[in-house]
Amino acid sequence: MLRRELLNPEWMLPADAGFLARAFPDCLLPNGADALSQALYFEATAKLTGDMLVKVDRMSMANSLEVRCPLLDHVLAELAASIPTAWKMRNGQGKAILIDAIGDRLPPALRQRKKMGFGVPLSHWFRGPLRDFLRDHLLSRQFTERGIVSPVFVRHLIEEHESKRRDNSDHLWALLMLELWFLNWASAVSEMPAVPAHSI
């Protein structure tokens, strides 16, 4: 619903079932794999390598930290992939085998704690120190005239976020990064030397 309201129709992803298979051919298992195996394979081949691990590596190096992930050892990953799907979940919770294997070595508070990510306080930033920066970019004529989004709905997302009615920080971040990418790309193109006509 949000994408339909936000994006102009020509920017909507195709609705056919084969789109993801065409877009991520190396990140999906062949037909017949169960949903959990598909999700785990996609996480390992697309999300970890192209997103999460890239961020951890860059941020740890930027702060002179040595970070290694022992659970990413390829032999261990191959063993985990061979485990039957039914063993991987227990009462709707993942990591059951890992908890059984090492749970007695961890304090109960750590074992029972919910998963925590390394998120940044975007929600706060977009209502505070980055409020004007966000508005300057997403409500600018330059962004709205690109023909990708509905300017009215972008304004609605921003105002809804600022009023704390709903946390739209993820969507606003994606739009802001898109606009900054456009600006960076345009700047890079303008700095490229002209190619002489006779060399084309």
Side-chain angles (χ1 to χ4, degrees), residues 43-65:
E43 287 284 322
T45 56
K47 205 133 164 48
L48 273 176
T49 56
D51 182 18
M52 296 177 189
L53 295 179
V54 176
K55 293 173 184 172
V56 169
D57 198 42
R58 289 179 181 167
M59 292 303 101
S60 59
M61 286 192 296
N63 291 281
S64 302
L65 294 174

mmCIF file of all heavy atoms in Angstrom, residues 43-65:
data_model
loop_
_atom_site.group_PDB
_atom_site.id
_atom_site.type_symbol
_atom_site.label_atom_id
_atom_site.label_comp_id
_atom_site.label_asym_id
_atom_site.label_seq_id
_atom_site.Cartn_x
_atom_site.Cartn_y
_atom_site.Cartn_z
ATOM 1 N N GLU A 43 19.525 -14.714 2.788
ATOM 2 C CA GLU A 43 20.237 -13.932 3.807
ATOM 3 C C GLU A 43 21.749 -14.124 3.679
ATOM 4 O O GLU A 43 22.514 -13.177 3.781
ATOM 5 C CB GLU A 43 19.782 -14.354 5.209
ATOM 6 C CG GLU A 43 18.396 -13.889 5.581
ATOM 7 C CD GLU A 43 18.328 -12.418 5.939
ATOM 8 O OE1 GLU A 43 19.266 -11.912 6.580
ATOM 9 O OE2 GLU A 43 17.342 -11.766 5.560
ATOM 10 N N ALA A 44 22.162 -15.375 3.468
ATOM 11 C CA ALA A 44 23.594 -15.679 3.418
ATOM 12 C C ALA A 44 24.257 -15.143 2.150
ATOM 13 O O ALA A 44 25.386 -14.664 2.190
ATOM 14 C CB ALA A 44 23.809 -17.186 3.520
ATOM 15 N N THR A 45 23.560 -15.222 1.025
ATOM 16 C CA THR A 45 24.194 -14.861 -0.246
ATOM 17 C C THR A 45 23.994 -13.408 -0.645
ATOM 18 O O THR A 45 24.821 -12.854 -1.361
ATOM 19 C CB THR A 45 23.672 -15.762 -1.381
ATOM 20 O OG1 THR A 45 22.236 -15.673 -1.428
ATOM 21 C CG2 THR A 45 24.084 -17.210 -1.165
ATOM 22 N N ALA A 46 22.916 -12.790 -0.203
ATOM 23 C CA ALA A 46 22.651 -11.404 -0.607
ATOM 24 C C ALA A 46 22.805 -10.433 0.547
ATOM 25 O O ALA A 46 23.584 -9.480 0.486
ATOM 26 C CB ALA A 46 21.240 -11.290 -1.202
ATOM 27 N N LYS A 47 22.091 -10.682 1.626
ATOM 28 C CA LYS A 47 22.028 -9.699 2.710
ATOM 29 C C LYS A 47 23.323 -9.633 3.521
ATOM 30 O O LYS A 47 23.832 -8.562 3.807
ATOM 31 C CB LYS A 47 20.850 -10.026 3.615
ATOM 32 C CG LYS A 47 20.330 -8.840 4.357
ATOM 33 C CD LYS A 47 18.829 -8.773 4.256
ATOM 34 C CE LYS A 47 18.202 -7.857 5.248
ATOM 35 N NZ LYS A 47 18.666 -6.589 5.455
ATOM 36 N N LEU A 48 23.859 -10.788 3.892
ATOM 37 C CA LEU A 48 25.099 -10.779 4.674
ATOM 38 C C LEU A 48 26.248 -10.180 3.870
ATOM 39 O O LEU A 48 26.928 -9.265 4.322
ATOM 40 C CB LEU A 48 25.468 -12.199 5.108
ATOM 41 C CG LEU A 48 24.864 -12.718 6.399
ATOM 42 C CD1 LEU A 48 25.269 -14.173 6.619
ATOM 43 C CD2 LEU A 48 25.290 -11.887 7.588
ATOM 44 N N THR A 49 26.468 -10.711 2.667
ATOM 45 C CA THR A 49 27.641 -10.303 1.885
ATOM 46 C C THR A 49 27.528 -8.889 1.344
ATOM 47 O O THR A 49 28.521 -8.185 1.235
ATOM 48 C CB THR A 49 27.872 -11.272 0.721
ATOM 49 O OG1 THR A 49 26.670 -11.339 -0.062
ATOM 50 C CG2 THR A 49 28.217 -12.658 1.207
ATOM 51 N N GLY A 50 26.318 -8.459 0.984
ATOM 52 C CA GLY A 50 26.180 -7.151 0.371
ATOM 53 C C GLY A 50 25.722 -6.062 1.312
ATOM 54 O O GLY A 50 25.637 -4.896 0.911
ATOM 55 N N ASP A 51 25.427 -6.403 2.562
ATOM 56 C CA ASP A 51 24.867 -5.401 3.466
ATOM 57 C C ASP A 51 25.503 -5.474 4.855
ATOM 58 O O ASP A 51 26.379 -4.694 5.197
ATOM 59 C CB ASP A 51 23.339 -5.601 3.541
ATOM 60 C CG ASP A 51 22.646 -4.580 4.422
ATOM 61 O OD1 ASP A 51 23.243 -3.528 4.718
ATOM 62 O OD2 ASP A 51 21.505 -4.827 4.829
ATOM 63 N N MET A 52 25.085 -6.458 5.640
ATOM 64 C CA MET A 52 25.470 -6.476 7.051
ATOM 65 C C MET A 52 26.974 -6.592 7.272
ATOM 66 O O MET A 52 27.557 -5.819 8.043
ATOM 67 C CB MET A 52 24.749 -7.609 7.769
ATOM 68 C CG MET A 52 23.250 -7.438 7.783
ATOM 69 S SD MET A 52 22.455 -8.843 8.569
ATOM 70 C CE MET A 52 20.756 -8.482 8.206
ATOM 71 N N LEU A 53 27.614 -7.550 6.613
ATOM 72 C CA LEU A 53 29.041 -7.751 6.853
ATOM 73 C C LEU A 53 29.872 -6.594 6.303
ATOM 74 O O LEU A 53 30.921 -6.257 6.856
ATOM 75 C CB LEU A 53 29.507 -9.068 6.237
ATOM 76 C CG LEU A 53 28.893 -10.313 6.862
ATOM 77 C CD1 LEU A 53 29.392 -11.564 6.166
ATOM 78 C CD2 LEU A 53 29.194 -10.392 8.351
ATOM 79 N N VAL A 54 29.409 -5.977 5.230
ATOM 80 C CA VAL A 54 30.117 -4.818 4.674
ATOM 81 C C VAL A 54 30.152 -3.697 5.705
ATOM 82 O O VAL A 54 31.188 -3.077 5.940
ATOM 83 C CB VAL A 54 29.411 -4.335 3.384
ATOM 84 C CG1 VAL A 54 30.073 -3.081 2.846
ATOM 85 C CG2 VAL A 54 29.424 -5.430 2.340
ATOM 86 N N LYS A 55 29.010 -3.459 6.349
ATOM 87 C CA LYS A 55 28.932 -2.386 7.345
ATOM 88 C C LYS A 55 29.797 -2.694 8.560
ATOM 89 O O LYS A 55 30.525 -1.829 9.057
ATOM 90 C CB LYS A 55 27.482 -2.178 7.775
ATOM 91 C CG LYS A 55 26.588 -1.640 6.676
ATOM 92 C CD LYS A 55 25.151 -1.626 7.130
ATOM 93 C CE LYS A 55 24.224 -1.193 6.015
ATOM 94 N NZ LYS A 55 22.809 -1.338 6.368
ATOM 95 N N VAL A 56 29.723 -3.932 9.035
ATOM 96 C CA VAL A 56 30.525 -4.321 10.208
ATOM 97 C C VAL A 56 32.007 -4.164 9.887
ATOM 98 O O VAL A 56 32.773 -3.612 10.690
ATOM 99 C CB VAL A 56 30.219 -5.777 10.626
ATOM 100 C CG1 VAL A 56 31.227 -6.264 11.656
ATOM 101 C CG2 VAL A 56 28.807 -5.884 11.181
ATOM 102 N N ASP A 57 32.424 -4.609 8.719
ATOM 103 C CA ASP A 57 33.831 -4.548 8.348
ATOM 104 C C ASP A 57 34.309 -3.096 8.265
ATOM 105 O O ASP A 57 35.353 -2.737 8.813
ATOM 106 C CB ASP A 57 34.028 -5.253 7.006
ATOM 107 C CG ASP A 57 35.478 -5.624 6.759
ATOM 108 O OD1 ASP A 57 36.138 -6.097 7.702
ATOM 109 O OD2 ASP A 57 35.959 -5.435 5.627
ATOM 110 N N ARG A 58 33.532 -2.257 7.612
ATOM 111 C CA ARG A 58 33.953 -0.859 7.455
ATOM 112 C C ARG A 58 33.965 -0.107 8.790
ATOM 113 O O ARG A 58 34.888 0.652 9.075
ATOM 114 C CB ARG A 58 33.033 -0.149 6.462
ATOM 115 C CG ARG A 58 33.251 -0.615 5.034
ATOM 116 C CD ARG A 58 32.326 0.059 4.067
ATOM 117 N NE ARG A 58 32.573 -0.453 2.721
ATOM 118 C CZ ARG A 58 31.761 -0.242 1.702
ATOM 119 N NH1 ARG A 58 30.661 0.456 1.856
ATOM 120 N NH2 ARG A 58 32.053 -0.736 0.508
ATOM 121 N N MET A 59 32.931 -0.296 9.578
ATOM 122 C CA MET A 59 32.854 0.440 10.841
ATOM 123 C C MET A 59 33.900 -0.047 11.842
ATOM 124 O O MET A 59 34.468 0.746 12.587
ATOM 125 C CB MET A 59 31.457 0.323 11.449
ATOM 126 C CG MET A 59 30.374 1.041 10.671
ATOM 127 S SD MET A 59 30.713 2.810 10.432
ATOM 128 C CE MET A 59 31.326 2.850 8.751
ATOM 129 N N SER A 60 34.157 -1.359 11.851
ATOM 130 C CA SER A 60 35.165 -1.868 12.785
ATOM 131 C C SER A 60 36.557 -1.389 12.376
ATOM 132 O O SER A 60 37.349 -0.955 13.223
ATOM 133 C CB SER A 60 35.105 -3.395 12.876
ATOM 134 O OG SER A 60 35.328 -3.985 11.607
ATOM 135 N N MET A 61 36.860 -1.413 11.080
ATOM 136 C CA MET A 61 38.169 -0.934 10.624
ATOM 137 C C MET A 61 38.322 0.560 10.880
ATOM 138 O O MET A 61 39.401 1.028 11.258
ATOM 139 C CB MET A 61 38.358 -1.238 9.132
ATOM 140 C CG MET A 61 38.627 -2.703 8.847
ATOM 141 S SD MET A 61 39.198 -3.014 7.150
ATOM 142 C CE MET A 61 37.785 -2.514 6.202
ATOM 143 N N ALA A 62 37.247 1.325 10.686
ATOM 144 C CA ALA A 62 37.303 2.767 10.912
ATOM 145 C C ALA A 62 37.585 3.100 12.375
ATOM 146 O O ALA A 62 38.064 4.190 12.686
ATOM 147 C CB ALA A 62 35.990 3.419 10.473
ATOM 148 N N ASN A 63 37.292 2.166 13.271
ATOM 149 C CA ASN A 63 37.504 2.391 14.698
ATOM 150 C C ASN A 63 38.602 1.509 15.279
ATOM 151 O O ASN A 63 38.669 1.293 16.476
ATOM 152 C CB ASN A 63 36.190 2.182 15.454
ATOM 153 C CG ASN A 63 35.188 3.272 15.123
ATOM 154 O OD1 ASN A 63 35.282 4.362 15.653
ATOM 155 N ND2 ASN A 63 34.258 2.994 14.230
ATOM 156 N N SER A 64 39.465 0.981 14.399
ATOM 157 C CA SER A 64 40.616 0.156 14.805
ATOM 158 C C SER A 64 40.208 -1.041 15.639
ATOM 159 O O SER A 64 40.892 -1.416 16.590
ATOM 160 C CB SER A 64 41.634 1.009 15.570
ATOM 161 O OG SER A 64 42.068 2.083 14.766
ATOM 162 N N LEU A 65 39.076 -1.641 15.292
ATOM 163 C CA LEU A 65 38.621 -2.849 15.980
ATOM 164 C C LEU A 65 38.825 -4.060 15.079
ATOM 165 O O LEU A 65 38.584 -3.989 13.872
ATOM 166 C CB LEU A 65 37.134 -2.754 16.337
ATOM 167 C CG LEU A 65 36.750 -1.693 17.367
ATOM 168 C CD1 LEU A 65 35.237 -1.638 17.494
ATOM 169 C CD2 LEU A 65 37.376 -1.993 18.715
#
